[in-house]
Amino acid sequence: MTGGIQLAPHDPDWARAAAAEGAAITGALQGLAVTVHHIGSTSVPGLIAKPILDILLEVGDLAALDARDGDLIALGYEAMGAFGIPGRRYFRKDSAAGRRTHQLHAFAAGSEGARRHLAFRDYLRAHPEIAGEYGKLKQRLVARTRDAEHYMDGKEGWVQATEAASLRWTAARLG
């Protein structure tokens, strides 16, 4: 991403854009059992975010997805493999100007990685005060640095603690 970290106020159009992209992904992967979810900060109403749509793709078989990555490349995605997270396939998409627009995180349906992302999203949606804390943390970090690595490092402890809380919250809700 050029120009460092850029944050934007929540845009209600992000949900529509994510749904449209999800439909394009589902269409491209026709015949491969998939479920598409809008995740990440752009999926949480009211949360300040980098204007990059994060999409979670759940598939029945990662090997089958690997065989079809050309279908996602045809949609403008770059296939990055696991990209540091075992059990994930990561794809990214940039605009013609070279600015990141989409990140696609693919996991086997029901996997720990998929559950973790969905729990975090649902927890922030259900707890706007915690989402607000996250937004303030992001703003403080961007005020100090626009370097993506420092930004991510600065969020790591908060995200891990909140992710753990979100998984406990989800488990309690599911009984």
Side-chain angles (χ1 to χ4, degrees):
M1 180 172 186
T2 60
I5 302 297
Q6 304 288 325
L7 296 176
H10 183 80
D11 183 344
D13 194 46
W14 287 336
R16 183 210 53 79
E21 190 70 13
I25 291 165
T26 300
L29 296 174
Q30 192 169 28
L32 183 65
V34 300
T35 305
V36 179
H37 308 272
H38 182 196
I39 62 168
S41 294
T42 61
S43 73
V44 180
L47 180 56
I48 192 168
K50 294 181 294 180
I52 301 168
L53 296 177
D54 281 291
I55 296 171
L56 171 66
L57 172 64
E58 290 186 283
V59 297
D61 180 15
L62 285 176
L65 176 63
D66 291 340
R68 302 274 304 269
D69 67 0
D71 295 330
L72 295 172
I73 292 167
L75 290 179
Y77 284 93
E78 179 183 8
M80 303 298 294
F83 206 61
I85 299 177
R88 175 181 79 162
R89 299 300 182 270
Y90 175 71
F91 300 83
R92 61 188 182 193
K93 183 187 231 185
D94 294 346
S95 70
R99 180 166 292 280
R100 179 78 22 84
T101 58
H102 298 78
Q103 298 184 123
L104 179 61
H105 312 267
F107 291 93
S111 68
E112 177 187 343
R115 286 192 317 269
R116 183 175 48 81
H117 281 289
L118 294 171
F120 188 76
R121 179 204 61 193
D122 293 347
Y123 185 73
L124 291 181
R125 284 178 173 175
H127 298 89
E129 68 286 356
I130 295 170
E133 289 174 18
Y134 189 29
K136 288 175 186 170
L137 172 62
K138 292 177 180 197
Q139 290 174 309
R140 284 193 307 272
L141 291 169
V142 167
R144 278 189 261 163
T145 182
R146 296 247 176 205
D147 178 75
E149 189 173 326
H150 288 114
Y151 175 80
M152 295 303 290
D153 288 347
K155 294 188 328 176
E156 186 175 358
W158 190 94
V159 168
Q160 287 178 348
T162 305
E163 184 178 273
S166 72
L167 291 167
R168 288 189 302 272
W169 175 79
T170 299
R173 286 179 48 228
L174 299 176

PDB file of all heavy atoms in Angstrom, residues 23 28 53 61 66 69 107 118 130-131 138 140 142 161 163:
ATOM      1  N   ALA A  23     -20.277 -11.749  -4.188  1.00  0.00           N
ATOM      2  CA  ALA A  23     -21.034 -12.367  -5.285  1.00  0.00           C
ATOM      3  C   ALA A  23     -20.119 -12.668  -6.468  1.00  0.00           C
ATOM      4  O   ALA A  23     -20.241 -13.730  -7.107  1.00  0.00           O
ATOM      5  CB  ALA A  23     -22.180 -11.452  -5.708  1.00  0.00           C
ATOM      6  N   ALA A  28     -17.230 -16.707  -9.574  1.00  0.00           N
ATOM      7  CA  ALA A  28     -15.979 -17.173 -10.164  1.00  0.00           C
ATOM      8  C   ALA A  28     -15.628 -18.582  -9.707  1.00  0.00           C
ATOM      9  O   ALA A  28     -15.018 -19.350 -10.454  1.00  0.00           O
ATOM     10  CB  ALA A  28     -14.845 -16.220  -9.812  1.00  0.00           C
ATOM     11  N   LEU A  53     -11.338  -3.614   1.894  1.00  0.00           N
ATOM     12  CA  LEU A  53     -12.334  -4.612   2.250  1.00  0.00           C
ATOM     13  C   LEU A  53     -11.660  -5.948   2.536  1.00  0.00           C
ATOM     14  O   LEU A  53     -10.926  -6.476   1.702  1.00  0.00           O
ATOM     15  CB  LEU A  53     -13.352  -4.789   1.127  1.00  0.00           C
ATOM     16  CG  LEU A  53     -14.205  -3.570   0.806  1.00  0.00           C
ATOM     17  CD1 LEU A  53     -15.124  -3.865  -0.373  1.00  0.00           C
ATOM     18  CD2 LEU A  53     -14.995  -3.137   2.012  1.00  0.00           C
ATOM     19  N   ASP A  61     -12.601 -27.400   0.842  1.00  0.00           N
ATOM     20  CA  ASP A  61     -11.306 -28.040   0.621  1.00  0.00           C
ATOM     21  C   ASP A  61     -10.317 -27.015   0.075  1.00  0.00           C
ATOM     22  O   ASP A  61     -10.514 -26.479  -1.016  1.00  0.00           O
ATOM     23  CB  ASP A  61     -11.499 -29.187  -0.369  1.00  0.00           C
ATOM     24  CG  ASP A  61     -10.234 -29.955  -0.698  1.00  0.00           C
ATOM     25  OD1 ASP A  61      -9.230 -29.820   0.029  1.00  0.00           O
ATOM     26  OD2 ASP A  61     -10.263 -30.697  -1.697  1.00  0.00           O
ATOM     27  N   ASP A  66      -6.941 -24.163  -4.198  1.00  0.00           N
ATOM     28  CA  ASP A  66      -5.629 -23.984  -4.820  1.00  0.00           C
ATOM     29  C   ASP A  66      -5.687 -24.279  -6.321  1.00  0.00           C
ATOM     30  O   ASP A  66      -5.065 -23.579  -7.123  1.00  0.00           O
ATOM     31  CB  ASP A  66      -4.585 -24.895  -4.160  1.00  0.00           C
ATOM     32  CG  ASP A  66      -4.250 -24.489  -2.738  1.00  0.00           C
ATOM     33  OD1 ASP A  66      -4.508 -23.323  -2.354  1.00  0.00           O
ATOM     34  OD2 ASP A  66      -3.722 -25.344  -1.997  1.00  0.00           O
ATOM     35  N   ASP A  69      -7.251 -21.176  -8.107  1.00  0.00           N
ATOM     36  CA  ASP A  69      -6.815 -19.810  -7.821  1.00  0.00           C
ATOM     37  C   ASP A  69      -6.770 -18.942  -9.080  1.00  0.00           C
ATOM     38  O   ASP A  69      -6.896 -17.724  -9.005  1.00  0.00           O
ATOM     39  CB  ASP A  69      -5.513 -19.759  -7.023  1.00  0.00           C
ATOM     40  CG  ASP A  69      -4.295 -20.264  -7.768  1.00  0.00           C
ATOM     41  OD1 ASP A  69      -4.404 -20.668  -8.936  1.00  0.00           O
ATOM     42  OD2 ASP A  69      -3.210 -20.253  -7.159  1.00  0.00           O
ATOM     43  N   PHE A 107     -10.122 -19.939   4.224  1.00  0.00           N
ATOM     44  CA  PHE A 107      -9.888 -21.007   5.190  1.00  0.00           C
ATOM     45  C   PHE A 107     -10.843 -22.150   4.895  1.00  0.00           C
ATOM     46  O   PHE A 107     -11.897 -21.954   4.280  1.00  0.00           O
ATOM     47  CB  PHE A 107     -10.173 -20.530   6.622  1.00  0.00           C
ATOM     48  CG  PHE A 107      -9.210 -19.517   7.155  1.00  0.00           C
ATOM     49  CD1 PHE A 107      -9.455 -18.165   7.033  1.00  0.00           C
ATOM     50  CD2 PHE A 107      -8.047 -19.923   7.810  1.00  0.00           C
ATOM     51  CE1 PHE A 107      -8.569 -17.222   7.538  1.00  0.00           C
ATOM     52  CE2 PHE A 107      -7.159 -18.994   8.319  1.00  0.00           C
ATOM     53  CZ  PHE A 107      -7.417 -17.640   8.188  1.00  0.00           C
ATOM     54  N   LEU A 118     -14.488 -14.539  12.488  1.00  0.00           N
ATOM     55  CA  LEU A 118     -15.914 -14.256  12.643  1.00  0.00           C
ATOM     56  C   LEU A 118     -16.255 -13.864  14.079  1.00  0.00           C
ATOM     57  O   LEU A 118     -17.073 -12.959  14.298  1.00  0.00           O
ATOM     58  CB  LEU A 118     -16.744 -15.460  12.184  1.00  0.00           C
ATOM     59  CG  LEU A 118     -16.635 -15.755  10.682  1.00  0.00           C
ATOM     60  CD1 LEU A 118     -17.313 -17.081  10.353  1.00  0.00           C
ATOM     61  CD2 LEU A 118     -17.197 -14.614   9.849  1.00  0.00           C
ATOM     62  N   ILE A 130     -16.190  -1.246  22.752  1.00  0.00           N
ATOM     63  CA  ILE A 130     -14.895  -1.884  22.520  1.00  0.00           C
ATOM     64  C   ILE A 130     -14.403  -1.557  21.109  1.00  0.00           C
ATOM     65  O   ILE A 130     -13.215  -1.284  20.908  1.00  0.00           O
ATOM     66  CB  ILE A 130     -14.977  -3.396  22.784  1.00  0.00           C
ATOM     67  CG1 ILE A 130     -15.280  -3.618  24.275  1.00  0.00           C
ATOM     68  CG2 ILE A 130     -13.697  -4.111  22.369  1.00  0.00           C
ATOM     69  CD1 ILE A 130     -15.614  -5.028  24.645  1.00  0.00           C
ATOM     70  N   ALA A 131     -15.322  -1.542  20.150  1.00  0.00           N
ATOM     71  CA  ALA A 131     -14.950  -1.124  18.797  1.00  0.00           C
ATOM     72  C   ALA A 131     -14.424   0.317  18.827  1.00  0.00           C
ATOM     73  O   ALA A 131     -13.450   0.644  18.136  1.00  0.00           O
ATOM     74  CB  ALA A 131     -16.142  -1.249  17.851  1.00  0.00           C
ATOM     75  N   LYS A 138      -6.181   2.818  16.892  1.00  0.00           N
ATOM     76  CA  LYS A 138      -5.718   2.994  15.516  1.00  0.00           C
ATOM     77  C   LYS A 138      -5.315   4.438  15.253  1.00  0.00           C
ATOM     78  O   LYS A 138      -4.271   4.693  14.643  1.00  0.00           O
ATOM     79  CB  LYS A 138      -6.821   2.591  14.530  1.00  0.00           C
ATOM     80  CG  LYS A 138      -7.147   1.139  14.497  1.00  0.00           C
ATOM     81  CD  LYS A 138      -8.293   0.988  13.535  1.00  0.00           C
ATOM     82  CE  LYS A 138      -8.745  -0.421  13.378  1.00  0.00           C
ATOM     83  NZ  LYS A 138      -9.561  -0.552  12.174  1.00  0.00           N
ATOM     84  N   ARG A 140      -4.335   6.713  17.421  1.00  0.00           N
ATOM     85  CA  ARG A 140      -3.093   7.024  18.147  1.00  0.00           C
ATOM     86  C   ARG A 140      -1.879   6.463  17.399  1.00  0.00           C
ATOM     87  O   ARG A 140      -0.851   7.130  17.273  1.00  0.00           O
ATOM     88  CB  ARG A 140      -3.134   6.444  19.566  1.00  0.00           C
ATOM     89  CG  ARG A 140      -3.993   7.224  20.525  1.00  0.00           C
ATOM     90  CD  ARG A 140      -3.768   6.819  21.984  1.00  0.00           C
ATOM     91  NE  ARG A 140      -3.893   5.394  22.246  1.00  0.00           N
ATOM     92  CZ  ARG A 140      -5.048   4.781  22.545  1.00  0.00           C
ATOM     93  NH1 ARG A 140      -6.184   5.469  22.640  1.00  0.00           N
ATOM     94  NH2 ARG A 140      -5.067   3.472  22.784  1.00  0.00           N
ATOM     95  N   VAL A 142      -1.577   5.763  14.149  1.00  0.00           N
ATOM     96  CA  VAL A 142      -1.345   6.486  12.894  1.00  0.00           C
ATOM     97  C   VAL A 142      -0.757   7.871  13.176  1.00  0.00           C
ATOM     98  O   VAL A 142       0.062   8.366  12.402  1.00  0.00           O
ATOM     99  CB  VAL A 142      -2.646   6.569  12.058  1.00  0.00           C
ATOM    100  CG1 VAL A 142      -2.520   7.564  10.920  1.00  0.00           C
ATOM    101  CG2 VAL A 142      -2.980   5.195  11.495  1.00  0.00           C
ATOM    102  N   ALA A 161      -5.724  -9.828  22.763  1.00  0.00           N
ATOM    103  CA  ALA A 161      -6.553  -9.865  23.978  1.00  0.00           C
ATOM    104  C   ALA A 161      -8.033  -9.820  23.618  1.00  0.00           C
ATOM    105  O   ALA A 161      -8.854 -10.557  24.203  1.00  0.00           O
ATOM    106  CB  ALA A 161      -6.189  -8.707  24.902  1.00  0.00           C
ATOM    107  N   GLU A 163      -9.373 -10.671  20.747  1.00  0.00           N
ATOM    108  CA  GLU A 163      -9.715 -11.922  20.061  1.00  0.00           C
ATOM    109  C   GLU A 163     -10.012 -13.026  21.075  1.00  0.00           C
ATOM    110  O   GLU A 163     -10.985 -13.774  20.927  1.00  0.00           O
ATOM    111  CB  GLU A 163      -8.567 -12.333  19.150  1.00  0.00           C
ATOM    112  CG  GLU A 163      -8.847 -13.549  18.314  1.00  0.00           C
ATOM    113  CD  GLU A 163      -7.684 -13.849  17.406  1.00  0.00           C
ATOM    114  OE1 GLU A 163      -7.654 -13.282  16.308  1.00  0.00           O
ATOM    115  OE2 GLU A 163      -6.799 -14.640  17.809  1.00  0.00           O
TER     116      GLU A 163
END
